[in-house]
Amino acid sequence: MDLKLLLDWRLHLLVIVTSMFAEWIGILRMPLGPGTLLLLPLLYAFVIGVLFNPHLFSGMGNIIPKPVSHAAGPVILIAILPFIAKFGSTIGPAIEQIIAAGPALILQELGNLGTMLLALPFAVLVLKMGREAVGATYSIAREPNIAIISDRYGLRSPEGVGIMGVYVVGTMFGTLYFALMAGYIASLDILDIRALAMACGVGSGSMVAACSAALAEAVPASRDELLAFAGASNLLTYATGLYISLFIALPITEWMYKRLKGNSHVEARHES
Amino acid sequence: MKANETAVDQFDAEALKELRPENQLGKTALVLAAVCVSAWFSNLVNGAPLLDALPGMLILYAMVIIGLVIGRLCPFYLPSVAWVSLISILATLPVFPGNGWIIARLAEVDFLAVVTPVLAYAGLALTGREFSMFKQTGWKLILVALLVFTGTFIGSAVVAHIML
């Protein structure tokens, strides 16, 4: 990618103005049923970004030309790094609490298997998806998981299309969805807030960010502890999540897919 | 058909390149400076005045660069986010010399303010391909993806809840 485009002043200036405006609006709380939805500045920043996107409204090409918009893609990955560094700095001071919670932190990785229990049957039985469903639902579709699928099936296989679809959705909406979901589930007060913080760690950097920030806003008193747990969990996701998805999640998904497909064939025959 | 395939090829190649910011350290260092400036200004509203936050932002910048350099030199592959995170953890451990000073400087940088510009970049970066994917068959994948996220989150939270 051309350096001139990556450093285009219009892009960065627009981002600065957008971010400052979003920060100025601040955090809004919306009661919803038994819980509360937390709207964070990052949500407004995303929406404003989309509104200025030249691919959606061609008139915006005058402010941000399309090539500059393409350059913003790689910029995201770099922009998340200072945040990751800030995030890590919450783990160091809390190292003793994290070690004390060690077994929970390591075993919650197995909770990733919840993905296929919920999403795989829905994809196969309700949406009638094919092999795409294996790629789409065996994991949370972050970079290490893509590497596994690309290694096993190739990225242009149906499995590859499935995982890239979820990856793109995750990149676009994952951050927002995690923030809304985490804040909401926290406000329901069913699960230990530290358990929710660890669960935040399953996502990509920005998902973890939004998720744990939402939790910290929901329970400001334990802010530092929550950030530390989410960060530690995310680190373990990178360290151990790869092996869990390769040796446990993918084989189980394959097995369940065959079972589910078998059943739906039988059902189809009954109908005809 | 052929045009379609080349588009996918390009997408694959781009996606892979994007996944490894440590491969182009010089470029990354400059872009990183630009995004740090964005975060610095974003932090102005609810975080701290520019001068107060400057040391903290410089520390974050240095941590990222150190992490990327290690990721580049290291013989086995770990994502750059993992290295950056490890560096930052080490520098803030109670045994690390000067950790108190580092933590105090970083306290001037608001956690949420740093991530706000990232989402602004993300909104601007969406391509026509992504918009059209959502207009056509995307709704199935969106539903599945949201279920994937919900399932993973709740699955992990329940296991952790039982273990705590």
Side-chain angles (χ1 to χ4, degrees):
Chain A
M1 189 64 76
D2 191 5
L3 192 57
K4 255 188 196 154
L5 287 175
L6 290 171
L7 293 176
D8 192 284
W9 64 272
R10 286 166 294 188
L11 172 67
H12 298 285
L13 183 64
L14 181 61
V15 165
I16 289 177
V17 174
T18 302
S19 309
M20 289 180 75
F21 179 68
E23 286 285 321
W24 174 77
I25 301 175
I27 296 159
L28 300 174
R29 283 157 212 274
M30 282 175 49
L32 177 78
T36 314
L37 273 185
L38 273 178
L39 305 183
L40 302 175
L42 54 94
L43 169 73
Y44 328 135
F46 181 76
V47 172
I48 298 169
V50 170
L51 292 178
F52 277 101
N53 190 306
H55 294 99
L56 193 59
F57 304 107
S58 50
M60 291 304 170
N62 296 326
I63 304 170
I64 298 288
K66 283 187 181 179
V68 176
S69 157
H70 281 295
V75 171
I76 305 171
L77 273 131
I78 296 172
I80 198 68
L81 293 174
F83 167 78
I84 298 290
K86 167 74 187 167
F87 207 43
S89 73
T90 61
I91 301 178
I95 194 74
E96 279 174 25
Q97 289 147 283
I98 287 169
I99 291 172
L105 265 176
I106 293 168
L107 285 174
Q108 58 90 22
E109 283 293 328
L110 290 172
N112 288 357
L113 304 179
T115 310
M116 71 196 69
L117 296 180
L118 197 64
L120 184 62
F122 184 80
V124 174
L125 298 177
V126 180
L127 297 178
K128 309 281 180 208
M129 281 170 74
R131 298 281 308 167
E132 293 89 353
V134 173
T137 65
Y138 97 102
S139 75
I140 194 162
R142 298 330 296 166
E143 289 83 355
N145 310 118
I146 294 176
I148 291 175
I149 288 290
S150 124
D151 200 50
R152 281 287 279 272
Y153 309 98
L155 279 186
R156 267 179 283 166
S157 63
E159 295 86 352
V161 171
I163 195 167
M164 286 317 288
V166 175
Y167 178 76
V168 171
V169 177
T171 310
M172 290 172 67
F173 302 118
T175 309
L176 304 175
Y177 185 69
F178 260 79
L180 292 173
M181 175 178 64
Y184 191 73
I185 293 178
S187 71
L188 295 177
D189 207 17
I190 300 169
L191 293 165
D192 190 318
I193 190 89
R194 292 171 301 161
L196 294 179
M198 291 182 200
C200 283
V202 295
S204 66
S206 57
M207 291 181 193
V208 184
C211 183
S212 47
L215 289 183
E217 284 310 320
V219 191
S222 20
R223 183 187 171 96
D224 289 346
E225 192 190 7
L226 295 178
L227 296 184
F229 273 95
S233 159
N234 189 232
L235 202 63
L236 281 175
T237 296
Y238 277 104
T240 62
L242 186 73
Y243 302 102
I244 289 186
S245 58
L246 179 60
F247 293 118
I248 302 179
L250 192 53
I252 296 180
T253 310
E254 283 283 4
W255 180 81
M256 270 183 66
Y257 176 80
K258 277 179 203 137
R259 281 296 160 99
L260 290 166
K261 259 310 188 220
N263 286 344
S264 65
H265 281 313
V266 175
E267 273 169 35
R269 257 177 247 142
H270 279 300
E271 279 165 23
S272 61
Chain B
M1 206 45 215
K2 217 168 190 184
N4 219 348
E5 272 176 29
T6 31
V8 175
D9 274 339
Q10 270 174 358
F11 180 70
D12 285 0
E14 261 173 48
L16 286 178
K17 228 192 284 166
E18 280 174 30
L19 298 179
R20 306 284 302 265
E22 70 271 26
N23 281 346
Q24 320 174 30
L25 279 179
K27 254 186 208 180
T28 304
L30 288 171
V31 177
L32 182 63
V35 299
C36 279
V37 170
S38 300
W40 190 32
F41 275 91
S42 171
N43 184 53
L44 184 58
V45 184
N46 297 316
L50 289 179
L51 272 182
D52 293 1
L54 184 60
M57 284 309 307
L58 289 175
I59 292 173
L60 292 181
Y61 183 87
M63 285 173 166
V64 173
I65 293 290
I66 295 171
L68 290 175
V69 170
I70 294 180
R72 178 71 184 271
L73 299 179
C74 185
F76 57 89
Y77 174 70
L78 256 187
S80 40
V81 283
W83 283 118
V84 171
S85 178
L86 274 176
I87 295 297
S88 163
I89 294 170
L90 281 179
T92 52
L93 281 179
V95 292
F96 192 84
N99 77 308
W101 183 82
I102 293 178
I103 294 169
R105 297 284 77 75
L106 288 179
E108 302 287 346
V109 181
D110 182 62
F111 184 76
L112 267 179
V114 183
V115 85
T116 302
V118 180
L119 270 284
Y121 287 114
L124 286 167
L126 297 179
T127 61
R129 184 180 178 273
E130 281 151 353
F131 283 122
S132 59
M133 181 194 131
F134 283 101
K135 276 183 208 145
Q136 291 160 13
T137 52
W139 66 273
K140 274 189 187 179
L141 277 172
I142 296 181
L143 271 182
V144 171
L146 295 185
L147 280 177
V148 165
F149 301 150
T150 314
T152 309
F153 183 77
I154 293 179
S156 289
V158 167
V159 174
H161 183 81
I162 296 167
M163 292 300 298
L164 276 173

